[in-house]
Amino acid sequence: PVRIGREHLALMKEQADRMSRLVNDLLTLSKLEESSPDRAPETVNVPVMIRETAKEGRAISGGRHEITESAEPFCLKGYKDEILSAIGNLVANAVRYTPPGGHISITWKRSPEWLELAVKDDGIGIAPEFLPRLTERFYRVDKSHSKMTGGTGLGLYIVHGIVAAHGGTISVSSKPAESSTFTIRLFFTPAAADAHAAIES
């Protein structure tokens, strides 16, 4: 009988996980590009999603990072599956590009005009010349690192599409070898205020 060593099993699992991530990203992208304009938006409880995503991030990290979350009780009118995908992609990226022992924070707060989601890490950072291309399809700053961490090059492209579909913006600030912060801003609407009141009551 053929015996498969642990290294080969680990390699097979790694390739299977990478293929799974690619398939999932392509499915999300397909849904996003074929989204019906008649689809009715839902009330999205973002604080609950952030707690779920932080838990998933800790599972991906396997205890190698400290992941904290802070969320003001504001909801959002939008599409639950898409918002969850956007948050999940940002947190997964932060885990992949932050060395063991690093800290990742997820925050959700209101400013006078915006609802703002930020994912900050103290990872490897991104050089300024690469920032304008981060949301391009299949674009990866460091292909060797992406190969090691299983990145597909679609995550930020998907996030950008989701944010644009919700009428918002995404920006990134980064210091190479120090930190990166990805910030999503969405207009604060009366629907969000009503949802906030419902959570508080």
Side-chain angles (χ1 to χ4, degrees), residues 130-181:
F130 298 124
L131 296 180
R133 299 191 61 190
L134 285 181
T135 57
E136 292 180 11
R137 189 193 299 241
F138 294 116
Y139 183 75
R140 290 180 288 188
V141 173
D142 185 342
K143 292 181 175 60
S144 61
H145 189 89
S146 295
K147 185 176 180 180
M148 288 188 297
T149 59
T152 65
L154 284 171
L156 291 178
Y157 178 79
I158 290 172
V159 174
H160 179 268
I162 290 170
V163 173
H166 284 78
T169 63
I170 180 170
S171 61
V172 56
S173 60
S174 185
K175 296 179 180 179
E178 288 188 28
S179 66
S180 295
T181 303

Short mmCIF file of all heavy atoms in Angstrom, two decimals, residues 130-181:
data_model
loop_
_atom_site.label_atom_id
_atom_site.label_comp_id
_atom_site.label_asym_id
_atom_site.label_seq_id
_atom_site.Cartn_x
_atom_site.Cartn_y
_atom_site.Cartn_z
N PHE A 130 2.18 50.92 -3.97
CA PHE A 130 1.26 49.82 -4.23
C PHE A 130 -0.19 50.13 -3.85
O PHE A 130 -1.10 49.44 -4.28
CB PHE A 130 1.70 48.56 -3.47
CG PHE A 130 3.04 48.04 -3.88
CD1 PHE A 130 4.04 47.86 -2.95
CD2 PHE A 130 3.31 47.72 -5.20
CE1 PHE A 130 5.29 47.38 -3.32
CE2 PHE A 130 4.55 47.22 -5.59
CZ PHE A 130 5.55 47.06 -4.65
N LEU A 131 -0.40 51.15 -3.04
CA LEU A 131 -1.73 51.43 -2.50
C LEU A 131 -2.79 51.66 -3.57
O LEU A 131 -3.91 51.15 -3.44
CB LEU A 131 -1.67 52.63 -1.55
CG LEU A 131 -0.83 52.44 -0.27
CD1 LEU A 131 -0.86 53.70 0.57
CD2 LEU A 131 -1.34 51.25 0.54
N PRO A 132 -2.51 52.42 -4.66
CA PRO A 132 -3.57 52.69 -5.63
C PRO A 132 -4.09 51.44 -6.35
O PRO A 132 -5.19 51.46 -6.90
CB PRO A 132 -2.91 53.65 -6.63
CG PRO A 132 -1.78 54.28 -5.87
CD PRO A 132 -1.29 53.18 -4.97
N ARG A 133 -3.33 50.35 -6.36
CA ARG A 133 -3.72 49.17 -7.12
C ARG A 133 -4.30 48.04 -6.27
O ARG A 133 -4.65 46.98 -6.79
CB ARG A 133 -2.51 48.63 -7.90
CG ARG A 133 -1.93 49.62 -8.91
CD ARG A 133 -0.93 48.92 -9.81
NE ARG A 133 -1.54 47.84 -10.58
CZ ARG A 133 -0.85 46.95 -11.29
NH1 ARG A 133 0.47 47.02 -11.32
NH2 ARG A 133 -1.48 46.00 -11.96
N LEU A 134 -4.44 48.27 -4.98
CA LEU A 134 -4.82 47.19 -4.07
C LEU A 134 -6.17 46.56 -4.39
O LEU A 134 -6.37 45.37 -4.14
CB LEU A 134 -4.86 47.70 -2.62
CG LEU A 134 -3.50 47.92 -1.95
CD1 LEU A 134 -3.71 48.40 -0.53
CD2 LEU A 134 -2.68 46.64 -1.95
N THR A 135 -7.10 47.34 -4.93
CA THR A 135 -8.45 46.81 -5.17
C THR A 135 -8.62 46.29 -6.60
O THR A 135 -9.74 45.98 -7.01
CB THR A 135 -9.52 47.87 -4.88
OG1 THR A 135 -9.26 49.03 -5.68
CG2 THR A 135 -9.50 48.28 -3.41
N GLU A 136 -7.52 46.15 -7.35
CA GLU A 136 -7.63 45.57 -8.69
C GLU A 136 -7.81 44.05 -8.60
O GLU A 136 -7.29 43.41 -7.68
CB GLU A 136 -6.36 45.87 -9.51
CG GLU A 136 -6.19 47.34 -9.86
CD GLU A 136 -4.94 47.58 -10.67
OE1 GLU A 136 -4.33 46.60 -11.14
OE2 GLU A 136 -4.56 48.75 -10.85
N ARG A 137 -8.52 43.51 -9.56
CA ARG A 137 -8.76 42.06 -9.59
C ARG A 137 -7.44 41.29 -9.74
O ARG A 137 -6.62 41.59 -10.60
CB ARG A 137 -9.68 41.71 -10.76
CG ARG A 137 -10.16 40.27 -10.76
CD ARG A 137 -10.78 39.90 -12.09
NE ARG A 137 -11.93 40.72 -12.41
CZ ARG A 137 -13.18 40.25 -12.59
NH1 ARG A 137 -13.40 38.96 -12.48
NH2 ARG A 137 -14.16 41.06 -12.90
N PHE A 138 -7.21 40.31 -8.88
CA PHE A 138 -6.05 39.43 -8.85
C PHE A 138 -4.73 40.15 -8.56
O PHE A 138 -3.66 39.56 -8.71
CB PHE A 138 -5.91 38.65 -10.17
CG PHE A 138 -7.02 37.66 -10.40
CD1 PHE A 138 -7.89 37.82 -11.47
CD2 PHE A 138 -7.21 36.59 -9.55
CE1 PHE A 138 -8.93 36.91 -11.69
CE2 PHE A 138 -8.24 35.68 -9.75
CZ PHE A 138 -9.10 35.84 -10.83
N TYR A 139 -4.79 41.41 -8.13
CA TYR A 139 -3.54 42.12 -7.82
C TYR A 139 -3.03 41.73 -6.45
O TYR A 139 -3.78 41.71 -5.47
CB TYR A 139 -3.74 43.64 -7.87
CG TYR A 139 -2.46 44.40 -7.63
CD1 TYR A 139 -1.49 44.48 -8.62
CD2 TYR A 139 -2.20 45.01 -6.40
CE1 TYR A 139 -0.30 45.16 -8.40
CE2 TYR A 139 -1.03 45.69 -6.17
CZ TYR A 139 -0.08 45.76 -7.17
OH TYR A 139 1.10 46.43 -6.94
N ARG A 140 -1.74 41.38 -6.38
CA ARG A 140 -1.11 41.05 -5.11
C ARG A 140 0.22 41.77 -5.03
O ARG A 140 1.02 41.72 -5.95
CB ARG A 140 -0.92 39.53 -4.98
CG ARG A 140 -2.23 38.78 -4.81
CD ARG A 140 -2.03 37.30 -4.69
NE ARG A 140 -1.65 36.70 -5.98
CZ ARG A 140 -1.56 35.39 -6.19
NH1 ARG A 140 -1.79 34.55 -5.20
NH2 ARG A 140 -1.23 34.92 -7.36
N VAL A 141 0.44 42.44 -3.89
CA VAL A 141 1.68 43.21 -3.72
C VAL A 141 2.88 42.28 -3.69
O VAL A 141 3.88 42.48 -4.38
CB VAL A 141 1.61 44.04 -2.41
CG1 VAL A 141 2.96 44.70 -2.14
CG2 VAL A 141 0.52 45.09 -2.52
N ASP A 142 2.79 41.24 -2.86
CA ASP A 142 3.89 40.30 -2.67
C ASP A 142 3.40 38.91 -3.04
O ASP A 142 2.76 38.24 -2.25
CB ASP A 142 4.37 40.35 -1.22
CG ASP A 142 5.62 39.48 -0.98
OD1 ASP A 142 5.89 38.60 -1.83
OD2 ASP A 142 6.29 39.69 0.03
N LYS A 143 3.69 38.49 -4.25
CA LYS A 143 3.17 37.20 -4.73
C LYS A 143 3.72 36.03 -3.94
O LYS A 143 3.04 35.04 -3.71
CB LYS A 143 3.49 37.03 -6.22
CG LYS A 143 2.73 38.01 -7.12
CD LYS A 143 3.06 37.79 -8.58
CE LYS A 143 2.21 38.69 -9.48
NZ LYS A 143 2.43 40.11 -9.21
N SER A 144 4.97 36.14 -3.48
CA SER A 144 5.55 35.03 -2.72
C SER A 144 4.85 34.90 -1.37
O SER A 144 4.56 33.80 -0.91
CB SER A 144 7.05 35.26 -2.51
OG SER A 144 7.29 36.45 -1.78
N HIS A 145 4.54 36.04 -0.74
CA HIS A 145 3.85 35.98 0.55
C HIS A 145 2.43 35.48 0.37
O HIS A 145 1.93 34.69 1.16
CB HIS A 145 3.84 37.37 1.21
CG HIS A 145 3.35 37.34 2.62
ND1 HIS A 145 4.17 37.14 3.70
CD2 HIS A 145 2.09 37.48 3.13
CE1 HIS A 145 3.46 37.15 4.81
NE2 HIS A 145 2.19 37.36 4.51
N SER A 146 1.76 35.94 -0.70
CA SER A 146 0.39 35.49 -0.96
C SER A 146 0.36 33.99 -1.21
O SER A 146 -0.58 33.31 -0.82
CB SER A 146 -0.18 36.23 -2.18
OG SER A 146 -0.31 37.61 -1.90
N LYS A 147 1.39 33.49 -1.86
CA LYS A 147 1.45 32.04 -2.12
C LYS A 147 1.56 31.28 -0.82
O LYS A 147 0.92 30.24 -0.63
CB LYS A 147 2.65 31.73 -3.02
CG LYS A 147 2.73 30.26 -3.44
CD LYS A 147 3.88 30.04 -4.41
CE LYS A 147 3.95 28.57 -4.83
NZ LYS A 147 5.07 28.33 -5.77
N MET A 148 2.34 31.81 0.13
CA MET A 148 2.51 31.14 1.41
C MET A 148 1.24 31.19 2.25
O MET A 148 0.90 30.25 2.96
CB MET A 148 3.67 31.77 2.19
CG MET A 148 5.04 31.46 1.63
SD MET A 148 6.36 32.05 2.74
CE MET A 148 6.09 33.81 2.71
N THR A 149 0.52 32.34 2.17
CA THR A 149 -0.65 32.51 3.03
C THR A 149 -1.95 32.10 2.36
O THR A 149 -3.00 32.11 3.00
CB THR A 149 -0.77 33.99 3.46
OG1 THR A 149 -0.87 34.81 2.29
CG2 THR A 149 0.45 34.43 4.26
N GLY A 150 -1.90 31.77 1.08
CA GLY A 150 -3.11 31.29 0.41
C GLY A 150 -4.00 32.38 -0.13
O GLY A 150 -5.19 32.14 -0.38
N GLY A 151 -3.48 33.58 -0.32
CA GLY A 151 -4.30 34.67 -0.86
C GLY A 151 -4.66 34.41 -2.31
O GLY A 151 -3.90 33.81 -3.07
N THR A 152 -5.86 34.89 -2.71
CA THR A 152 -6.32 34.67 -4.09
C THR A 152 -6.17 35.91 -4.96
O THR A 152 -6.30 35.83 -6.18
CB THR A 152 -7.81 34.26 -4.10
OG1 THR A 152 -8.61 35.35 -3.61
CG2 THR A 152 -8.03 33.04 -3.23
N GLY A 153 -5.93 37.08 -4.34
CA GLY A 153 -5.86 38.31 -5.12
C GLY A 153 -7.23 38.88 -5.45
O GLY A 153 -7.33 39.84 -6.21
N LEU A 154 -8.29 38.30 -4.88
CA LEU A 154 -9.65 38.77 -5.15
C LEU A 154 -10.29 39.46 -3.95
O LEU A 154 -11.29 40.16 -4.11
CB LEU A 154 -10.54 37.59 -5.57
CG LEU A 154 -10.35 37.07 -6.99
CD1 LEU A 154 -11.14 35.78 -7.18
CD2 LEU A 154 -10.80 38.10 -8.01
N GLY A 155 -9.75 39.26 -2.77
CA GLY A 155 -10.39 39.74 -1.55
C GLY A 155 -10.71 41.21 -1.56
O GLY A 155 -11.86 41.62 -1.35
N LEU A 156 -9.71 42.06 -1.79
CA LEU A 156 -9.93 43.50 -1.75
C LEU A 156 -10.74 43.99 -2.94
O LEU A 156 -11.47 44.98 -2.84
CB LEU A 156 -8.59 44.24 -1.67
CG LEU A 156 -7.83 44.05 -0.36
CD1 LEU A 156 -6.49 44.78 -0.41
CD2 LEU A 156 -8.65 44.56 0.82
N TYR A 157 -10.63 43.29 -4.07
CA TYR A 157 -11.47 43.62 -5.22
C TYR A 157 -12.94 43.40 -4.87
O TYR A 157 -13.81 44.22 -5.20
CB TYR A 157 -11.07 42.76 -6.41
CG TYR A 157 -11.90 42.97 -7.66
CD1 TYR A 157 -11.67 44.06 -8.49
CD2 TYR A 157 -12.91 42.08 -7.99
CE1 TYR A 157 -12.43 44.26 -9.63
CE2 TYR A 157 -13.68 42.27 -9.13
CZ TYR A 157 -13.43 43.36 -9.95
OH TYR A 157 -14.21 43.56 -11.07
N ILE A 158 -13.22 42.30 -4.19
CA ILE A 158 -14.58 42.00 -3.75
C ILE A 158 -15.06 43.03 -2.73
O ILE A 158 -16.19 43.54 -2.81
CB ILE A 158 -14.65 40.58 -3.16
CG1 ILE A 158 -14.49 39.55 -4.29
CG2 ILE A 158 -15.97 40.36 -2.41
CD1 ILE A 158 -14.34 38.13 -3.79
N VAL A 159 -14.21 43.36 -1.77
CA VAL A 159 -14.58 44.36 -0.76
C VAL A 159 -14.92 45.69 -1.43
O VAL A 159 -15.92 46.33 -1.10
CB VAL A 159 -13.44 44.55 0.26
CG1 VAL A 159 -13.77 45.70 1.21
CG2 VAL A 159 -13.21 43.27 1.06
N HIS A 160 -14.08 46.10 -2.37
CA HIS A 160 -14.32 47.36 -3.08
C HIS A 160 -15.67 47.34 -3.79
O HIS A 160 -16.44 48.32 -3.74
CB HIS A 160 -13.20 47.61 -4.09
CG HIS A 160 -13.36 48.87 -4.88
ND1 HIS A 160 -13.99 48.91 -6.11
CD2 HIS A 160 -13.00 50.15 -4.61
CE1 HIS A 160 -14.00 50.13 -6.57
NE2 HIS A 160 -13.41 50.92 -5.67
N GLY A 161 -15.98 46.22 -4.45
CA GLY A 161 -17.26 46.12 -5.16
C GLY A 161 -18.44 46.17 -4.21
O GLY A 161 -19.47 46.81 -4.51
N ILE A 162 -18.33 45.51 -3.07
CA ILE A 162 -19.41 45.51 -2.08
C ILE A 162 -19.63 46.91 -1.52
O ILE A 162 -20.76 47.38 -1.41
CB ILE A 162 -19.09 44.52 -0.94
CG1 ILE A 162 -19.17 43.08 -1.45
CG2 ILE A 162 -20.03 44.73 0.26
CD1 ILE A 162 -18.64 42.04 -0.48
N VAL A 163 -18.55 47.57 -1.18
CA VAL A 163 -18.66 48.92 -0.62
C VAL A 163 -19.26 49.88 -1.64
O VAL A 163 -20.14 50.69 -1.30
CB VAL A 163 -17.28 49.42 -0.15
CG1 VAL A 163 -17.35 50.88 0.28
CG2 VAL A 163 -16.77 48.55 1.00
N ALA A 164 -18.82 49.79 -2.89
CA ALA A 164 -19.37 50.65 -3.94
C ALA A 164 -20.86 50.40 -4.13
O ALA A 164 -21.65 51.34 -4.33
CB ALA A 164 -18.61 50.42 -5.25
N ALA A 165 -21.27 49.12 -4.06
CA ALA A 165 -22.68 48.78 -4.22
C ALA A 165 -23.53 49.35 -3.09
O ALA A 165 -24.74 49.56 -3.26
CB ALA A 165 -22.85 47.26 -4.29
N HIS A 166 -22.91 49.61 -1.95
CA HIS A 166 -23.62 50.20 -0.81
C HIS A 166 -23.44 51.72 -0.74
O HIS A 166 -23.80 52.35 0.26
CB HIS A 166 -23.14 49.56 0.49
CG HIS A 166 -23.68 48.19 0.73
ND1 HIS A 166 -23.19 47.07 0.08
CD2 HIS A 166 -24.69 47.73 1.52
CE1 HIS A 166 -23.86 46.00 0.48
NE2 HIS A 166 -24.78 46.38 1.34
N GLY A 167 -22.88 52.29 -1.80
CA GLY A 167 -22.72 53.74 -1.86
C GLY A 167 -21.65 54.29 -0.95
O GLY A 167 -21.69 55.47 -0.58
N GLY A 168 -20.67 53.47 -0.59
CA GLY A 168 -19.63 53.91 0.33
C GLY A 168 -18.27 54.00 -0.32
O GLY A 168 -18.11 53.87 -1.53
N THR A 169 -17.26 54.21 0.51
CA THR A 169 -15.89 54.31 0.04
C THR A 169 -14.99 53.44 0.91
O THR A 169 -15.31 53.15 2.07
CB THR A 169 -15.36 55.75 0.10
OG1 THR A 169 -15.34 56.19 1.48
CG2 THR A 169 -16.24 56.69 -0.71
N ILE A 170 -13.87 53.01 0.35
CA ILE A 170 -12.87 52.29 1.12
C ILE A 170 -11.52 52.96 0.92
O ILE A 170 -11.18 53.37 -0.20
CB ILE A 170 -12.79 50.79 0.74
CG1 ILE A 170 -11.72 50.09 1.58
CG2 ILE A 170 -12.54 50.61 -0.75
CD1 ILE A 170 -11.73 48.57 1.45
N SER A 171 -10.78 53.13 1.99
CA SER A 171 -9.46 53.75 1.91
C SER A 171 -8.48 52.94 2.75
O SER A 171 -8.88 52.15 3.62
CB SER A 171 -9.51 55.20 2.42
OG SER A 171 -9.93 55.24 3.77
N VAL A 172 -7.21 53.14 2.49
CA VAL A 172 -6.18 52.42 3.25
C VAL A 172 -5.04 53.38 3.59
O VAL A 172 -4.64 54.20 2.77
CB VAL A 172 -5.65 51.19 2.47
CG1 VAL A 172 -5.11 51.60 1.12
CG2 VAL A 172 -4.58 50.46 3.27
N SER A 173 -4.58 53.29 4.80
CA SER A 173 -3.37 54.00 5.21
C SER A 173 -2.40 52.96 5.74
O SER A 173 -2.82 52.00 6.40
CB SER A 173 -3.67 55.05 6.28
OG SER A 173 -4.22 54.45 7.43
N SER A 174 -1.13 53.13 5.44
CA SER A 174 -0.18 52.10 5.82
C SER A 174 1.22 52.66 6.00
O SER A 174 1.61 53.61 5.30
CB SER A 174 -0.15 50.98 4.77
OG SER A 174 0.68 49.92 5.18
N LYS A 175 1.94 52.07 6.94
CA LYS A 175 3.35 52.37 7.14
C LYS A 175 4.11 51.06 6.97
O LYS A 175 3.88 50.11 7.75
CB LYS A 175 3.59 52.94 8.54
CG LYS A 175 2.92 54.27 8.79
CD LYS A 175 3.18 54.77 10.22
CE LYS A 175 2.51 56.09 10.48
NZ LYS A 175 2.74 56.56 11.87
N PRO A 176 4.97 50.96 5.95
CA PRO A 176 5.71 49.71 5.74
C PRO A 176 6.41 49.24 7.00
O PRO A 176 7.02 50.01 7.72
CB PRO A 176 6.72 50.09 4.64
CG PRO A 176 6.04 51.20 3.89
CD PRO A 176 5.29 51.99 4.94
N ALA A 177 6.27 47.93 7.27
CA ALA A 177 6.87 47.26 8.42
C ALA A 177 6.27 47.70 9.75
O ALA A 177 6.79 47.32 10.81
CB ALA A 177 8.38 47.48 8.45
N GLU A 178 5.15 48.45 9.71
CA GLU A 178 4.56 48.91 10.97
C GLU A 178 3.07 48.56 11.08
O GLU A 178 2.65 47.91 12.03
CB GLU A 178 4.73 50.43 11.13
CG GLU A 178 6.14 50.86 11.46
CD GLU A 178 6.21 52.33 11.80
OE1 GLU A 178 5.20 52.89 12.30
OE2 GLU A 178 7.27 52.94 11.55
N SER A 179 2.26 49.02 10.12
CA SER A 179 0.82 48.83 10.29
C SER A 179 0.07 49.13 9.01
O SER A 179 0.60 49.76 8.09
CB SER A 179 0.29 49.75 11.40
OG SER A 179 0.40 51.11 11.00
N SER A 180 -1.18 48.68 8.97
CA SER A 180 -2.12 49.02 7.88
C SER A 180 -3.50 49.19 8.49
O SER A 180 -3.88 48.46 9.42
CB SER A 180 -2.17 47.93 6.81
OG SER A 180 -0.94 47.79 6.15
N THR A 181 -4.26 50.15 7.97
CA THR A 181 -5.63 50.35 8.40
C THR A 181 -6.52 50.46 7.17
O THR A 181 -6.30 51.33 6.32
CB THR A 181 -5.79 51.62 9.24
OG1 THR A 181 -4.92 51.55 10.38
CG2 THR A 181 -7.24 51.77 9.72
#
